[in-house]
Amino acid sequence: MVDLQSQYLKIKLEIDSAIQSVIDSTAFIKGRDVQLFETELAEFTGAKHVIACGNGTDALQIALMALGLKPGDEVITSTFTFIATAEAIALLGLIPVFVDANPDTFNIDVSQIRRKITSKTKAIIPVHLYGQCADMEEIMNIADEFNLFVIEDTAQAIGTDFTFGDGTKKQAGTVGNIGTTSFFPSKNLGCFGDGGALFTNDDELALKMRAIINHGSKITYYHSEIGVNSRLDTLQAVVLRIKLKYLKEYISARQKVAEYYNSAFQHENRIITPFINPNSEHTYHQYTLKIADIDRDTVQKQLDENGIPSKIYYPVPIHLQEAYAKYGYRKGDFPIAEKLSETVLSLPIHTEMDEEQLRYITSNMKEIVNGK
Ligand SMILES: *Cc1c(COP(=O)(O)O)cnc(C)c1O
């Protein structure tokens, strides 16, 4: 699905010497490169503040902590996402309130958010799934109207531009009160282990989050709030500083792969290619198709027999996960997400794909869906 080895080999000299310099300095925690990376990522995204942390799941939890939400408060999010989004909500004793997905974009269906709002609702967490932004314009309108916080889960969409109705563009993660992201190795900007970050334009929230990631401390051994230990290692920061320089190239390499797939599949009735959203760029963290009129799992099995990896993101929507049964949802509550979980299929997409691989994958895929 990814080829991190080839990507590394292209920048090996740079990476190896940067890693060696951290080892030589022994500044493994809170080294200068962490700050430098934060500044560079702030410049790249347009966020006023970037606070690096341990991983994307922690980032979500830290964001919710910083907003001062209390157990029992309700947080609206999509049921069709990676588990981390709901996990952070549930861990803090907050109540995840799920909303179905939009069948075209796979993102939260904004037309269904309003009817989920109660007097306990405090926040909305849209997820920019697969590399395409949720409808941030409508989400911000709803948030303004009902006085809700917005945390954007940007783990899959770093560097993705959202265009507002008036033509203004902003990057994913910089529109709501807080944006969170992940540098898990396979993400579009991935490090060599776990890593994450928080974005905000709010000075006070930035200070608070910076304290929370470091045991709730602004001054060493003085603790103004209850925090966590979730810092980005200096070793990861040097890797990320280098890879950030290439992020634009990495994104356009992914977009080229997607274009190849899109044109190869354009006349295939059983393959529905990703929706092109006029308001959002697509940075293709995943290239996710919908399979129509034919069993998706059979297609996947046949791809596998031909040596072609593929993945299902995600086979079970969160409202049907065992651990989330206590929130009282049932099968049938979110028909779109449930249908998507049975029909989506993600093909390999990464920065190192060549035309031969793409030709092999697309020709096999076409034969398989047409039963040849
Ligand atoms: C990867 C991911 C996360 C979690 O990131 P980690 O760094 O693995 O903790 C959260 N949300 C979404 C949508 C993700 O894809």
Side-chain angles (χ1 to χ4, degrees):
M1 294 297 287
V2 293
D3 182 358
L4 297 174
Q5 170 81 359
S6 308
Q7 193 192 56
Y8 160 65
L9 289 176
K10 285 188 181 156
I11 51 174
K12 179 175 173 8
L13 284 180
E14 247 182 307
I15 294 268
D16 289 3
S17 87
I19 288 177
Q20 189 60 51
S21 75
V22 177
I23 297 172
D24 293 341
S25 77
T26 70
F28 297 115
I29 304 284
K30 295 198 249 182
R32 217 173 84 83
D33 285 284
V34 178
Q35 260 174 30
L36 292 171
F37 171 63
E38 290 177 340
T39 309
E40 288 159 3
L41 188 58
E43 241 160 67
F44 183 92
T45 56
K48 187 168 179 198
H49 303 278
V50 170
I51 296 117
C53 67
N55 58 70
T57 309
D58 280 2
L60 286 160
Q61 181 182 332
I62 293 157
L64 290 164
M65 288 169 77
L67 294 172
L69 304 196
K70 300 283 175 319
D73 286 348
E74 294 175 2
V75 179
I76 292 175
T77 194
S78 175
T79 186
F80 193 61
T81 173
F82 180 57
I83 198 73
T85 322
E87 194 173 46
I89 299 169
L91 264 176
L92 292 173
L94 310 170
I95 313 294
V97 174
F98 296 113
V99 170
D100 209 348
N102 175 302
D104 298 320
T105 65
F106 311 113
N107 280 318
I108 190 166
D109 181 349
V110 291
S111 73
Q112 298 192 40
I113 293 178
R114 277 189 170 79
R115 72 180 79 132
K116 295 286 181 153
I117 295 173
T118 72
S119 59
K120 290 185 177 161
T121 310
K122 293 289 154 53
I124 309 173
I125 308 187
V127 181
H128 306 306
L129 205 68
Y130 307 147
Q132 206 171 35
C133 294
D135 183 349
M136 286 311 295
E137 183 140 26
E138 179 60 7
I139 289 166
M140 294 313 289
N141 287 339
I142 297 170
D144 283 346
E145 189 181 328
F146 294 92
N147 203 17
L148 308 176
F149 295 115
V150 175
I151 300 170
E152 299 174 68
D153 184 340
T154 315
Q156 302 191 3
I158 195 160
T160 308
D161 275 334
F162 181 82
T163 308
F164 290 83
D166 66 1
T168 339
K169 282 185 203 278
K170 281 190 188 171
Q171 264 192 36
T174 69
V175 180
N177 302 84
I178 301 174
T180 65
T181 199
S182 163
F183 306 121
F184 185 83
S186 63
K187 299 280 155 90
N188 285 18
L189 178 61
C191 59
F192 289 0
D194 278 312
L198 294 135
F199 308 141
T200 189
N201 298 322
D202 180 320
D203 298 342
E204 222 172 287
L205 273 178
L207 274 177
K208 200 159 178 193
M209 295 194 292
R210 207 170 271 296
I212 291 173
I213 65 160
N214 195 32
H215 301 293
S217 160
K218 293 185 182 109
I219 306 161
T220 309
Y221 303 126
Y222 291 80
H223 304 275
S224 51
E225 49 222 303
I226 295 175
V228 295
N229 174 9
S230 184
R231 296 170 300 232
L232 183 73
D233 292 341
T234 315
L235 282 167
Q236 303 304 345
V238 296
V239 171
L240 288 165
R241 285 191 68 202
I242 293 165
K243 289 182 75 173
L244 180 59
K245 292 191 295 178
Y246 300 103
L247 181 57
K248 281 224 161 89
E249 275 172 49
Y250 290 160
I251 289 173
S252 60
R254 286 174 178 276
Q255 288 168 333
K256 286 209 180 81
V257 171
E259 274 167 35
Y260 189 102
Y261 281 141
N262 285 343
S263 82
F265 299 142
Q266 64 182 331
H267 302 301
E268 298 296 327
N269 297 329
R270 289 173 167 171
I271 302 177
I272 300 159
T273 55
F275 179 73
I276 306 299
N277 187 338
N279 294 322
S280 174
E281 195 191 5
H282 203 326
T283 52
Y284 295 102
H285 174 58
Q286 300 300 343
Y287 183 82
T288 304
L289 302 164
K290 285 183 286 188
I291 304 297
D293 302 326
I294 174 172
D295 181 50
R296 187 265 324 266
D297 294 341
T298 313
V299 172
Q300 187 179 36
K301 193 164 151 271
Q302 286 178 284
L303 284 169
D304 184 55
E305 284 163 8
N306 287 291
I308 298 167
S310 64
K311 284 255 169 108
I312 316 292
Y313 304 109
Y314 296 93
V316 184
I318 302 182
H319 71 282
L320 298 180
Q321 294 283 355
E322 192 184 338
Y324 292 77
K326 67 172 184 180
Y327 298 107
Y329 293 94
R330 297 157 198 273
K331 203 163 167 65
D333 284 347
F334 301 114
I336 303 295
E338 291 169 23
K339 174 98 191 285
L340 289 175
S341 67
E342 289 165 8
T343 51
V344 291
L345 185 71
S346 301
L347 294 180
I349 189 162
H350 55 81
T351 58
E352 312 302 316
M353 286 184 84
D354 59 35
E355 203 158 329
E356 198 186 319
Q357 292 170 322
L358 286 167
R359 224 178 297 127
Y360 183 75
I361 295 169
T362 50
S363 63
N364 272 277
M365 183 73 186
K366 285 195 253 186
E367 284 178 15
I368 289 166
V369 296
N370 291 310
K372 287 192 187 132

